[in-house]
Amino acid sequence: MKRYAAGVLVAAVVVVAVVVRPDRALGVLRTALASPWSPAILVGLYAVRPLLGWPISLLSALVGFKYGVFVGVPVALAGAVGTSLLPYLAGRFAPQRRPPVRPVRGRSTRYFDAAGADAAASSPRAS
Protein backbone atom coordinates (compact mmCIF):
# COMPACT_ATOMS: atom_id res chain seq x y z
CA MET A 1 0.00 0.00 0.00
CA LYS A 2 2.93 2.35 0.71
CA ARG A 3 4.13 1.94 -2.88
CA TYR A 4 0.79 3.09 -4.23
CA ALA A 5 0.75 6.09 -1.92
CA ALA A 6 4.29 7.00 -2.96
CA GLY A 7 3.34 6.63 -6.63
CA VAL A 8 0.31 8.87 -6.22
CA LEU A 9 2.43 11.44 -4.39
CA VAL A 10 5.08 11.44 -7.13
CA ALA A 11 2.41 11.73 -9.82
CA ALA A 12 0.80 14.65 -7.98
CA VAL A 13 4.16 16.44 -7.68
CA VAL A 14 4.81 15.94 -11.41
CA VAL A 15 1.39 17.31 -12.31
CA VAL A 16 1.89 20.34 -10.06
CA ALA A 17 5.36 20.95 -11.52
CA VAL A 18 3.97 20.86 -15.06
CA VAL A 19 0.87 22.95 -14.38
CA VAL A 20 2.28 25.52 -11.96
CA ARG A 21 5.04 27.34 -13.81
CA PRO A 22 6.80 30.39 -12.35
CA ASP A 23 5.43 32.74 -15.03
CA ARG A 24 1.84 31.67 -14.29
CA ALA A 25 2.32 31.95 -10.57
CA LEU A 26 3.98 35.39 -10.58
CA GLY A 27 0.71 37.33 -10.31
CA VAL A 28 -0.44 35.21 -7.41
CA LEU A 29 2.94 35.60 -5.74
CA ARG A 30 2.81 39.40 -6.03
CA THR A 31 -0.50 39.41 -4.20
CA ALA A 32 0.83 36.97 -1.61
CA LEU A 33 3.90 39.11 -0.94
CA ALA A 34 1.68 42.07 -0.07
CA SER A 35 -0.13 40.04 2.60
CA PRO A 36 0.96 39.76 6.24
CA TRP A 37 1.52 36.04 5.63
CA SER A 38 4.37 36.68 3.21
CA PRO A 39 7.20 35.34 5.46
CA ALA A 40 5.35 32.05 5.92
CA ILE A 41 4.55 31.92 2.21
CA LEU A 42 8.21 32.46 1.30
CA VAL A 43 9.35 29.72 3.68
CA GLY A 44 6.77 27.37 2.15
CA LEU A 45 7.88 28.25 -1.38
CA TYR A 46 11.51 27.63 -0.49
CA ALA A 47 10.47 24.27 1.00
CA VAL A 48 8.65 23.05 -2.12
CA ARG A 49 11.00 24.65 -4.68
CA PRO A 50 13.09 21.47 -5.22
CA LEU A 51 9.93 19.46 -5.93
CA LEU A 52 8.63 21.97 -8.47
CA GLY A 53 11.97 22.52 -10.18
CA TRP A 54 11.75 26.30 -9.87
CA PRO A 55 14.97 28.30 -10.05
CA ILE A 56 16.32 29.67 -6.79
CA SER A 57 16.79 33.05 -8.47
CA LEU A 58 13.01 33.48 -8.78
CA LEU A 59 12.49 33.16 -5.05
CA SER A 60 15.55 35.30 -4.33
CA ALA A 61 14.09 38.03 -6.54
CA LEU A 62 10.79 37.80 -4.65
CA VAL A 63 12.65 38.17 -1.36
CA GLY A 64 14.50 41.18 -2.79
CA PHE A 65 11.25 42.81 -3.91
CA LYS A 66 9.72 42.25 -0.51
CA TYR A 67 12.60 43.18 1.81
CA GLY A 68 15.02 45.28 -0.26
CA VAL A 69 18.75 44.78 -0.67
CA PHE A 70 20.10 45.00 2.87
CA VAL A 71 17.64 42.60 4.47
CA GLY A 72 16.81 40.65 1.31
CA VAL A 73 20.33 39.41 0.49
CA PRO A 74 20.90 37.58 3.80
CA VAL A 75 17.34 36.22 3.78
CA ALA A 76 17.68 35.04 0.17
CA LEU A 77 21.04 33.41 0.92
CA ALA A 78 19.58 31.59 3.90
CA GLY A 79 16.63 30.47 1.78
CA ALA A 80 18.90 29.28 -1.05
CA VAL A 81 21.02 27.26 1.37
CA GLY A 82 17.95 25.82 3.06
CA THR A 83 16.25 24.83 -0.17
CA SER A 84 19.45 23.21 -1.43
CA LEU A 85 19.95 21.28 1.78
CA LEU A 86 16.64 19.44 1.43
CA PRO A 87 17.56 17.48 -1.74
CA TYR A 88 21.13 17.04 -0.48
CA LEU A 89 19.95 15.45 2.76
CA ALA A 90 17.43 13.31 0.90
CA GLY A 91 20.21 11.98 -1.33
CA ARG A 92 22.65 11.63 1.54
CA PHE A 93 20.43 9.54 3.75
CA ALA A 94 18.38 7.69 1.11
CA PRO A 95 18.86 3.93 0.89
CA GLN A 96 21.88 3.41 -1.35
CA ARG A 97 20.78 0.20 -3.04
CA ARG A 98 17.28 1.19 -4.17
CA PRO A 99 16.01 3.20 -7.09
CA PRO A 100 16.21 6.14 -7.77
CA VAL A 101 19.53 6.44 -5.89
CA ARG A 102 21.16 3.31 -7.29
CA PRO A 103 21.59 4.51 -10.93
CA VAL A 104 22.94 7.90 -9.84
CA ARG A 105 25.29 6.30 -7.36
CA GLY A 106 26.48 3.89 -10.05
CA ARG A 107 27.30 6.74 -12.44
CA SER A 108 29.19 8.68 -9.80
CA THR A 109 31.12 5.58 -8.77
CA ARG A 110 32.11 4.93 -12.40
CA TYR A 111 33.17 8.56 -12.78
CA PHE A 112 35.43 8.51 -9.74
CA ASP A 113 36.83 5.11 -10.71
CA ALA A 114 37.84 6.54 -14.11
CA ALA A 115 38.93 10.02 -12.98
CA GLY A 116 40.43 9.17 -9.62
CA ALA A 117 39.22 9.99 -6.15
CA ASP A 118 40.89 13.39 -6.06
CA ALA A 119 39.55 14.55 -9.45
CA ALA A 120 37.22 17.06 -7.82
CA ALA A 121 39.96 18.39 -5.55
CA SER A 122 42.36 19.00 -8.44
CA SER A 123 39.85 20.83 -10.62
CA PRO A 124 40.44 24.55 -11.27
CA ARG A 125 37.24 25.44 -9.39
CA ALA A 126 38.43 23.76 -6.21
CA SER A 127 41.48 26.02 -5.89
Side-chain angles (χ1 to χ4, degrees), residues 37-97:
W37 291 94
S38 63
I41 292 169
L42 285 171
V43 169
L45 288 174
Y46 271 116
V48 299
R49 187 214 58 86
L51 300 174
L52 298 176
W54 286 7
I56 294 175
S57 57
L58 173 71
L59 295 177
S60 298
L62 290 174
V63 169
F65 288 138
K66 175 67 178 173
Y67 296 110
V69 174
F70 294 112
V71 175
V73 169
V75 170
L77 284 173
V81 169
T83 195
S84 299
L85 277 176
L86 295 175
Y88 168 76
L89 292 173
R92 175 81 170 115
F93 296 109
Q96 302 293 318
R97 306 215 189 297

Side-chain angles (χ1 to χ4, degrees), residues 6 9 21 55 82 95 101 104 109 113 119 123:
L9 179 66
R21 294 286 184 208
V101 176
V104 175
T109 302
D113 286 344
S123 71

